Amino acid sequence: MFWTQPGDPDYDERRALFNAMIDKRPRLIAGCESAADVGEALQQARRGHLEVAVRAGGHSVAGMSTNTDGLVIDVRPMKRIEIDARARRAVVGAGATWAEFDAAAQQHGLATTGGRVSSTGVAGFTLGGGSGWLERSFGLACDNLLSVDLVTADGVEVHADQNNHPDLFWALHGGGGNFGVATAFEFALHPVGPVVQAGLLGWPTATRGAEIVRAYRDWAADSPEEMGSWLIMFTGPDEDFIPDHLKGVNLSVVAAMWRGDPDEGRDRMQPLRDLGPELDLMEPMPYVEFQSILDDVPGNRHYWSADYHADLPDPALDLFVSSAINAPSALAQQIFLPWGGAVGRVPDDATPMTQRSAAWVSHPFAVWENPADDKANIEWVRQFRSDIAPWTTGGVYLNFIGAEGHDRIRNAYGEAKYQRLVEVKTEYDPENKFRGNQNIAPMVSA
């Protein structure tokens, strides 16, 4: 284990998060290489009466993986990845990113549902549910969990699976980092790739957006489970892959991947090509390349939110288009994606997450550079949520949002499952030591 504190040469680098809005200064950062290191760090926090945060990929938009004047348990050194190709299983350290996990699994033509941004950490993504391109085929990342190793608030190392600590194992399927510090995950793997039909198709939003969002809605709703996709509206960047006439223009872009035979995937995507996209980056490509196609550089400012929808009628889609066109930042993204398939087949009581039968998820995604623009971009997200509210179900996927209040946390689980989570929290973290998350408070908090 190694310790980092203010004044050390690498302190600013180690405390930095993906979201540049978060600029907190922990008193200590514990670089943990093992479960024993985590236990030692927790003892140090208890001795020093320090608040604890747990950091893996650092993509929490609300900065829940750090704190001010507390202790950050940094699990990034735990990068063990073991692939059992015959059993189609993987054991992954809590510090691994999806880029690292995918690269190892794809050497055997295998994958599990992973993050759409490859620098996302495996740990927080999975504990929060785990929505990715493969979800309609294989369920969320948490649905592919076989076991989790973690260290509880009192320093005890626990192996949780269906037979050992089953209530805790249930809670780890979307209950976030409320119950301990995860140090390793065991996943089921599935045949994927290594080459898939995937990429981007785009049209100018101002002239084609209303048409494209309707066509995409109908196409995606009827697509087989092998198709993973979303529609994203953003401003064409000044990059070589963007035609000159689309640079600086708001685009309606379908990002899609067919996990089966690439030739069949090409045929499945033909209805979209028939719409005459002016940006066509759809082709056979390595799965790991598509997994990073939407990667964004750290250092920008971020504010996100999300909602579930049973349906997206035309007036709701018109809101997507107008919101995208009127975004205050050229870096902003307006996203909606279909659920269904394996996501919705999971029995309701199998995981803490509720409303898994939702047909659609909306995801306004504000990104900007200048702190002076904070208010305008945050308001853009909030205004969209207010406008789209008549077509929402009240449910939410917590990994897509920041700190939006306790009601949103309860809505993510529903009252009965929230109370069950409270019971698990009370057993494993009665003092609420792990509260740097979408927090579930124990029955009696110290």
Side-chain angles (χ1 to χ4, degrees):
M1 179 160 67
F2 52 92
W3 298 92
T4 307
Q5 56 188 342
D8 289 344
D10 59 346
Y11 175 74
D12 284 336
E13 178 184 354
R14 296 201 64 80
R15 74 181 179 90
L17 302 182
F18 182 76
N19 183 2
M21 286 187 73
I22 311 302
D23 187 24
K24 297 182 179 180
R25 301 183 65 85
R27 188 185 306 181
L28 284 173
I29 302 172
C32 296
E33 300 172 302
S34 67
D37 287 352
V38 172
E40 182 181 340
L42 288 170
Q43 289 179 7
Q44 176 67 25
R46 187 173 292 275
R47 288 193 297 266
H49 305 286
L50 298 175
E51 182 180 347
V52 172
V54 183
R55 188 250 169 82
H59 275 250
S60 164
V61 70
M64 295 175 179
S65 46
T66 190
N67 57 36
T68 296
D69 202 35
L71 185 147
V72 172
I73 295 175
D74 185 349
V75 300
R76 282 178 292 177
M78 300 186 200
K79 291 188 177 291
R80 173 176 63 125
I81 301 175
E82 299 175 2
I83 306 297
D84 185 338
R86 178 170 295 183
R88 294 183 180 172
R89 295 188 173 198
V91 176
V92 184
T97 65
W98 283 102
E100 294 161 339
F101 182 9
D102 288 334
Q106 279 291 280
Q107 293 182 28
H108 308 278
L110 299 171
T112 198
T113 304
R116 296 180 179 90
V117 174
S118 68
S119 59
T120 302
V122 169
F125 176 88
T126 302
L127 294 173
S131 171
W133 301 116
L134 294 172
E135 64 196 7
R136 300 182 74 244
S137 292
F138 306 125
L140 304 174
C142 70
D143 300 329
N144 293 277
L145 274 178
L146 301 174
S147 68
V148 181
D149 293 338
L150 78 165
V151 181
T152 63
D154 55 5
V156 175
E157 296 179 26
V158 171
H159 179 81
D161 59 23
Q162 293 280 14
N163 300 312
N164 301 285
H165 305 276
D167 283 348
L168 174 61
F169 188 55
W170 173 85
L172 296 172
H173 286 67
N178 275 282
F179 313 101
V181 181
T183 58
F185 301 83
E186 184 181 12
F187 291 96
L189 298 175
H190 311 275
V192 176
V195 174
V196 294
Q197 183 74 227
L200 308 175
L201 299 172
W203 302 258
T205 300
T207 56
R208 302 288 305 278
E211 170 196 1
I212 297 305
V213 294
R214 287 161 169 77
Y216 170 75
R217 174 197 58 195
D218 298 341
W219 172 84
D222 293 335
S223 291
E225 295 175 5
E226 292 88 344
M227 185 70 75
S229 70
W230 68 5
L231 189 138
I232 176 170
M233 288 172 270
F234 63 90
T235 301
D238 187 10
E239 301 285 353
D240 291 342
F241 66 89
I242 300 290
D244 287 343
H245 75 286
L246 296 180
K247 293 177 180 179
V249 173
N250 192 276
L251 304 176
S252 295
V253 175
V254 174
M257 184 196 76
W258 177 262
R259 71 165 177 84
D261 177 75
D263 290 339
E264 183 178 358
R266 180 193 59 219
D267 294 341
R268 293 285 184 178
M269 293 173 187
Q270 189 59 44
L272 297 176
R273 275 212 172 96
D274 291 343
L275 297 171
E278 297 181 35
L279 174 71
D280 189 340
L281 302 176
M282 193 74 66
E283 61 185 2
M285 66 175 66
Y287 171 75
V288 291
E289 180 180 337
F290 184 66
Q291 276 287 85
S292 62
I293 201 168
L294 297 178
D295 282 6
D296 196 4
V297 296
N300 289 321
R301 305 174 77 80
H302 291 257
Y303 185 86
W304 317 332
S305 194
D307 282 290
Y308 290 163
H309 308 267
D311 189 18
L312 287 175
D314 289 353
L317 294 181
D318 290 339
L319 283 174
F320 280 99
V321 175
S322 62
S323 175
I325 291 174
N326 294 304
S329 167
L331 300 176
Q333 303 166 24
Q334 186 61 272
I335 301 165
F336 71 97
L337 60 141
W339 265 15
V343 175
R345 286 200 300 274
V346 175
D348 183 67
D349 60 355
T351 74
M353 301 174 67
T354 195
Q355 295 195 26
R356 292 177 60 135
S357 60
W360 301 94
V361 182
S362 60
H363 189 21
F365 198 96
V367 187
W368 67 101
E369 296 175 316
N370 190 338
D373 297 329
D374 286 1
K375 182 178 180 180
N377 283 275
I378 292 171
E379 180 57 30
W380 176 73
V381 172
R382 291 175 174 171
Q383 185 62 54
F384 173 77
R385 283 204 62 231
S386 175
D387 292 341
I388 202 73
W391 297 282
T392 60
T393 67
V396 62
Y397 171 57
L398 291 177
N399 269 3
F400 278 175
I401 75 170
E404 297 187 6
H406 200 64
D407 287 347
R408 291 280 268 168
I409 298 173
R410 285 178 176 267
N411 289 343
Y413 303 120
E415 193 58 32
K417 288 191 280 188
Y418 179 81
Q419 292 303 325
R420 184 177 173 187
L421 287 170
V422 169
E423 294 174 3
V424 178
K425 175 74 169 182
T426 304
E427 179 177 356
Y428 289 93
D429 184 19
E431 298 179 354
N432 203 15
K433 196 69 175 177
F434 302 115
R435 56 184 178 270
N437 44 48
Q438 301 284 9
N439 192 233
I440 299 162
M443 292 181 187
V444 179
S445 179

